[in-house]
Amino acid sequence: MTWLVLQQMWFEGPAAIGDVARERGLQLRIIRTDQGEPVPSPDALDAYEGLIVLGGAMGALDDDKHPALAGERALMAAAVERDLPVLGVCLGAQLLAIAGGGELLAGEDGSEDGLGPVELTKDGLADPVLGPLGRYFEAMHWHEDTYTLPERAVHLARSERYEQQAFRLGSCQYGLQFHLEMGSAEVQSLRDDFPDDADLDPDRTDKVVVLGRAVFERFFDRAAELAPERGQR
């Protein structure tokens, strides 16, 4: 069972998502768009169990500087249409929102960086993947832009600064604006890229990953549970 992964930057790899996937015996085909590897065509999705789209420092519509983004949005739109499992993280969440019919917005409240609380909505608490986190949990933030919620999406989480923090499209297509996959080693190696006042406490960062691993387990569980239904369509 193979999942397709789009990696945008050298420093934003699958991290804990990849660890959980491999522990479950899943194979990952990682496309390094930052190294010029082409984004597969939508027809290529037939060969994969799901799609994971990771974060990056570019904007989701910065096609002039990052032409791969157009192909990524087309691929994600095809995944949405097929109801293929998708996990979009940070930039990946914004791309998923656009693919589902939402819009990219400049963050009027400035950048959101470092550790900070996230609150689940009522629908988030009922969600099989995020709900077990409880109403409040801490996550790693690292973004400036935000998005409008696609018409068919379920709003799952918010923060004090930004209303849109997580959503679900279809049966198993999740956009997470925050990071749950990056541990203290990854974050501390990027310390100079964060604002000086960003809270990057190593112990709490590693606790976030513990929560994240459980989320990713439930995500892959949900994808596997729904696989027979997809096969009957």
Side-chain angles (χ1 to χ4, degrees):
M1 299 176 66
T2 303
W3 284 65
L4 181 63
V5 180
L6 304 183
Q7 181 174 339
Q8 328 278 355
M9 313 287 284
W10 68 266
F11 53 80
E12 292 202 50
I17 302 170
D19 293 341
V20 170
R22 295 183 184 99
E23 288 165 10
R24 297 173 67 97
L26 303 176
Q27 302 296 316
L28 301 180
R29 184 192 175 199
I30 300 177
I31 302 296
R32 293 290 302 270
T33 62
D34 59 323
Q35 294 181 357
E37 292 187 43
V39 176
S41 70
D43 289 342
L45 290 173
D46 292 339
Y48 299 102
E49 297 296 318
L51 174 64
I52 298 168
V53 183
L54 302 172
M58 67 285 284
L61 296 175
D62 287 350
D63 296 11
D64 289 346
K65 294 182 179 179
H66 304 278
L69 289 169
E72 294 187 42
R73 294 193 302 272
L75 188 68
M76 297 184 86
V80 168
E81 184 177 352
R82 300 176 186 212
D83 202 24
L84 189 74
V86 177
L87 178 61
V89 177
C90 200
L91 172 66
Q94 296 166 8
L95 291 167
L96 180 60
I98 296 169
E103 297 181 8
L104 184 73
L105 301 176
E108 294 184 357
D109 291 326
S111 63
E112 188 173 33
D113 304 288
L115 292 163
V118 175
E119 179 186 6
L120 291 184
T121 64
K122 181 179 179 180
D123 286 327
L125 286 168
D127 182 77
V129 173
L130 294 184
L133 288 170
R135 183 174 179 184
Y136 296 102
F137 61 94
E138 196 165 48
M140 180 63 65
H141 301 276
W142 197 11
H143 73 104
E144 296 182 16
D145 292 341
T146 186
Y147 54 87
T148 63
L149 194 68
E151 183 176 350
R152 294 176 295 154
V154 179
H155 182 210
L156 300 178
R158 60 172 64 91
S159 70
E160 183 176 343
R161 182 169 293 185
Y162 285 104
E163 179 67 15
Q164 301 302 331
Q165 288 290 343
F167 65 93
R168 186 185 71 242
L169 276 169
S171 57
C172 191
Q173 300 167 334
Y174 286 84
L176 308 181
Q177 181 63 78
F178 47 82
H179 295 272
L180 297 176
E181 81 284 2
M182 298 172 66
S184 60
E186 290 95 347
V187 170
Q188 292 303 317
S189 71
L190 301 168
R191 184 66 186 87
D192 292 343
D193 296 303
F194 280 87
D196 291 341
D197 61 351
D199 185 351
L200 305 178
D201 179 79
D203 289 340
R204 285 164 48 224
T205 299
D206 285 336
K207 289 179 181 178
V208 167
V209 176
V210 173
L211 295 178
R213 286 182 60 91
V215 167
F216 306 141
E217 289 280 9
R218 292 191 292 269
F219 171 75
F220 286 122
D221 281 344
R222 180 68 173 156
E225 176 186 336
L226 295 170
E229 296 180 17
R230 293 195 304 277
Q232 294 172 5
R233 294 173 188 170

